[in-house]
Amino acid sequence: MGRPPCCDKEGVKKGPWTPEEDIILVTYIQEHGPGNWRAVPTKTGLSRCSKSCRLRWTNYLRPGIKRGNFTEQEEKMIIHLQDLLGNRWAAIASYLPQRTDNDIKNYWNTHLKKKLKKLQTDNNSEGNFEDEKFSSSSSQRIPRGQWERRLQTDIQMAKKALSEALSPQKPISSNFSSSMSSNIKEQPHQSICYASSADNIARLLKGWMKNPQKSSKSSLTQNSFNNFVVSAGTDTASSGTKCGEYLSETFESLFGFEPLESFESSNSEFSQSLSPDHASTILQDESKPDHIANEMPFSLLEKWLLDEASCPDKNSVRLW
DNA sequence: AACCCGCTCAACCGCGGAGGG
DNA sequence: GCCCTCCGCGGTTGAGCGGGT
């Protein structure tokens, strides 16, 4: 009955990944790029199912992942996006370039849910506003106007993505389209991208020598990110800066606060990594589209929110 | 010191969509 | 149109850890 488990075979290892397994996986992906996960266990000799390999890569080993505490801005952004999109963690993660959907989901479940609940109880005396807000989080009760707008946004995004995809010169820049094109591998760029992973592994190994217990947990990905970002852009200042500025403005206009610390502090890093060359390389090459920093979704969202702002009555589930 | 309890987060499970034959 | 395979996503679990008693 039902679908058999993807990896119920004997000898398939489960549980936490060892550093050695990480190295094997990263080395393989460095050579072949992410994708074709089915082949990964057999080709690497890992006793893991393909799913496990993909998950390990996308949630942990993939370059560009930021770990550690969420900033206040990130928090607000998650809450806002969760409000708009519901529990579509992958979609939410696409607006937080350095966070994985799993991270965001975990953070929501462990921190933000409680926080909102607390807010809700605190505000109970002032009416049911938070009640409404909180229950809307389950995406069960999306106000009609909001749902329509959401649908409209999706359609607009799809249209734009399509037109971009049909335009051969233009780099694919939209969240949507890069997601759609995430399987298109641009081999010539991969060396840039995955070399950084190899480097990270080297650093990681150093870390393990120093700190065998913890290093596998923290050093890899942070180093991955730093290293990745450094390798991603040093010669792209002008376009990167422009993009960074745009992001800053958009963030501010979209969420009403200063850009994410990560964006700002790594302006020289992250924004540089967003140059047409590097960003498209980095983002499209990954199995999970990090694309995020692309203009289109933000501008659409911004427009959407501005529309909402002009109809405040429909904007009843705004927290901030 | 030993135990309990709550929290965190990496990893797993199962479903559904996409795409190819 | 159907079937199969692969992949991605969201929900859930459980090991590990730290704080409290």
Side-chain angles (χ1 to χ4, degrees), chain A residues 11 33 47 70 92 168 182 247 303 310:
Chain A
S47 313
F70 281 67
I92 293 170
S182 63
L247 277 170
K303 186 166 177 288
S310 66

Side-chain angles (χ1 to χ4, degrees), chain A residues 152-167 170-178 180 246 294-300:
Chain A
Q152 209 172 349
T153 305
D154 283 346
I155 292 166
Q156 285 177 40
M157 283 171 69
K159 275 187 190 168
K160 177 144 186 181
L162 186 61
S163 69
E164 279 190 351
L166 293 173
S167 161
K170 235 178 168 182
I172 296 168
S173 68
S174 77
N175 179 357
F176 187 87
S177 59
S178 62
M180 284 175 69
Y246 177 82
N294 301 311
E295 297 180 5
M296 201 275 291
F298 281 113
S299 54
L300 280 174

